[in-house]
Amino acid sequence: MGNFIADEKLENLRKYKYSGVDKSILSKYVLNPFWTWFVTLWPTWIAPNTITALGLGLVVFNLSTLFYYDPQYLTERDGATGPPKWVYFTWGLGLFWYQAFDAIDGKQARRTGMAGPLGQMFDHGCDSLNTTFECILSCRALNVGRSWWTVAAEIAALANFYLSTWEEFHTGTLYLGIFNGPVEGIILLCVMYTVTGIYGTSFWDKKFLAITHLDRLIARYYPELLYHIGNPGLNDAFFIFGAVQATFNIVLSYRNVYRARKAQKKYVLSPIGRFLPFLITTGFHVAWLSGSGPLSGKPHQAYILRSDLFLPFLLFWGFEFAHQVGRMILAHVTHQKFPYWDWSWVLVSVAAIDANAGFLFGSQPLIQRSPKACAIFMGVSIAYSLGAYARFCTLVIQDITNFLGIACFTVRKRDPVTGDWITSQELDSKRA
């Protein structure tokens, strides 16, 4: 009997079959040959989920160096003295090897006979956490720190991941385009970390048009254009490029969903409504972030954004998002209804209303009345979101491993006759 997944839905786990399309040229001709060789270095007694977890551990280590050297999440222009340049090289290496570990877990699963929905769930869970972690690290490397650029980057990164999961839910296939986040996006971040390690974070404040000498060209032929576009920094250009890429992904994803729904003779517009949970929760998070909180007498101060609570806030947001998309991918592999509602909405909506009490009601917040109260509430919020996600992961792993008779972090399966846990190879030889 399932603790989290209904018994009748557990049966659908046996029907699950992974489907993926990767059109990346970089992946096909450069990275995939490397990954195919790299997986052969791993013994077959190491479980694929263990490899995935080790990869995430590298990113968590990178995040810990940020907390050690710059827990306030400041930029150099704000008075920060760290992290030292060598740290950015470790961030690039950690992300590169995270990508490699993430790429070979499926290959290891096929080598060991452990492929299935559990690996899909575990892989997506680690990727969803990494999305926020890398957003935090990359915005620090780009020297934007506590700014709305970081918030915009978080929204764009989460939207891309949500969109990919939303697309897979409706089509049954994970599509990776010619330029996609898990391949080219990660390599681009690795290059960015390397550049930061060489030149420092202030490099990204240099003007894009001046660095590329486009300002001279534009001034010569279209001088009025300079007045309208200004001269954005390299970090600004980086984010603008990300926004363009995200827009492109939205169009391609809906095209794939449209074609799949039309082939299934289902409504082609109804999937759009399933993007609402992301939009609503994002709105609540931004409202909470932009609220004056204990500075209710000074509207539009965005207290959390300008305080030491900004970094914890991003982690809270990331844990909530991982829970949200985790439930979506679980609904996909078990053929359940789309998970519109989540109780975490209550916490973030209350926090948003309370933080904006001065603007909405002309009164002091009930909960976030002082900086200390805000810090306590943020701590409670992080503990709740992390605990809720950890509980979700634990219960889902227990349900899937018990029902399918497979282990999560070891290469073992349960013998259906004796009930003993034996290696996957031993069970396969018995069946043969």
Side-chain angles (χ1 to χ4, degrees), residues 15-31:
K15 305 174 185 177
Y16 174 77
K17 185 177 181 181
Y18 174 77
S19 174
V21 174
D22 185 357
K23 296 182 179 180
S24 167
I25 297 175
L26 179 63
S27 174
K28 182 178 181 180
Y29 293 105
V30 180
L31 293 175

Side-chain angles (χ1 to χ4, degrees), residues 26 31 35 91-92 94-100 102 127 130 134 179-193:
L26 179 63
L31 293 175
W35 296 333
W91 291 3
L95 180 58
F96 175 81
W97 287 112
Y98 170 83
Q99 181 192 55
D102 187 50
D127 288 342
N130 182 60
E134 287 303 330
F179 186 97
N180 62 79
V183 181
E184 287 81 6
I186 284 182
I187 296 300
L188 185 62
L189 288 181
C190 291
V191 172
M192 183 271 292
Y193 288 137

Side-chain angles (χ1 to χ4, degrees), residues 281 333 404:
T281 53
V333 301
L404 296 180

Side-chain angles (χ1 to χ4, degrees), residues 342-379:
D342 193 286
W343 281 102
S344 63
W345 289 22
V346 176
L347 175 63
V348 69
S349 61
V350 168
I353 294 171
D354 183 69
N356 289 277
F359 173 74
L360 296 174
F361 313 113
S363 63
Q364 287 283 338
L366 294 176
I367 303 172
Q368 304 164 83
R369 298 178 64 88
S370 67
K372 182 178 180 180
C374 281
I376 293 173
F377 185 68
M378 184 63 69

Side-chain angles (χ1 to χ4, degrees), residues 66 70 74-88 91 137-145 192-206 233-236:
L66 172 64
D70 186 16
L74 297 171
T75 60
E76 274 68 17
R77 73 171 78 94
D78 295 324
T81 57
K85 287 184 178 180
W86 64 265
V87 168
Y88 297 105
W91 291 3
L137 295 173
S138 61
C139 286
R140 181 60 186 84
L142 288 169
N143 207 34
V144 292
M192 183 271 292
Y193 288 137
T194 303
V195 172
T196 305
I198 297 173
Y199 299 106
T201 59
S202 60
F203 171 82
W204 300 104
D205 290 331
K206 293 184 178 181
L234 287 171
N235 41 23
D236 298 330

Side-chain angles (χ1 to χ4, degrees), residues 68 93 116 122 153 227 244-245 250 267 333 335 375 390 403 427-428:
Y68 179 80
L93 287 171
F122 198 86
Y227 174 78
V244 172
Q245 188 260 340
I250 290 173
Y267 291 112
V333 301
H335 298 181
F403 180 76
L427 182 59
D428 291 341

Side-chain angles (χ1 to χ4, degrees), residues 5-161:
I5 307 172
D7 290 351
E8 64 273 14
K9 298 300 180 181
L10 284 170
E11 289 292 338
N12 293 324
L13 291 170
R14 302 189 190 278
K15 305 174 185 177
Y16 174 77
K17 185 177 181 181
Y18 174 77
S19 174
V21 174
D22 185 357
K23 296 182 179 180
S24 167
I25 297 175
L26 179 63
S27 174
K28 182 178 181 180
Y29 293 105
V30 180
L31 293 175
N32 196 53
F34 165 68
W35 296 333
T36 301
W37 166 80
F38 182 49
V39 73
T40 62
L41 303 181
W42 293 81
T44 53
W45 53 264
I46 297 181
N49 291 335
T50 301
I51 296 177
T52 313
L54 289 173
L56 183 64
L58 295 174
V59 178
V60 171
F61 174 78
N62 289 343
L63 194 65
S64 69
T65 60
L66 172 64
F67 274 94
Y68 179 80
Y69 286 107
D70 186 16
Q72 295 179 308
Y73 203 57
L74 297 171
T75 60
E76 274 68 17
R77 73 171 78 94
D78 295 324
T81 57
K85 287 184 178 180
W86 64 265
V87 168
Y88 297 105
F89 289 112
T90 66
W91 291 3
L93 287 171
L95 180 58
F96 175 81
W97 287 112
Y98 170 83
Q99 181 192 55
F101 284 29
D102 187 50
I104 69 168
D105 55 6
K107 300 178 185 294
Q108 181 75 348
R110 290 184 285 275
R111 290 177 73 212
T112 57
M114 296 292 287
L118 178 60
Q120 177 75 340
M121 287 289 303
F122 198 86
D123 183 273
H124 269 64
C126 291
D127 288 342
S128 62
L129 289 172
N130 182 60
T131 301
T132 292
F133 296 165
E134 287 303 330
C135 180
I136 291 172
L137 295 173
S138 61
C139 286
R140 181 60 186 84
L142 288 169
N143 207 34
V144 292
R146 301 177 186 175
S147 72
W148 287 108
W149 268 128
T150 301
V151 179
E154 172 78 345
I155 294 173
L158 299 186
N160 264 313
F161 194 94

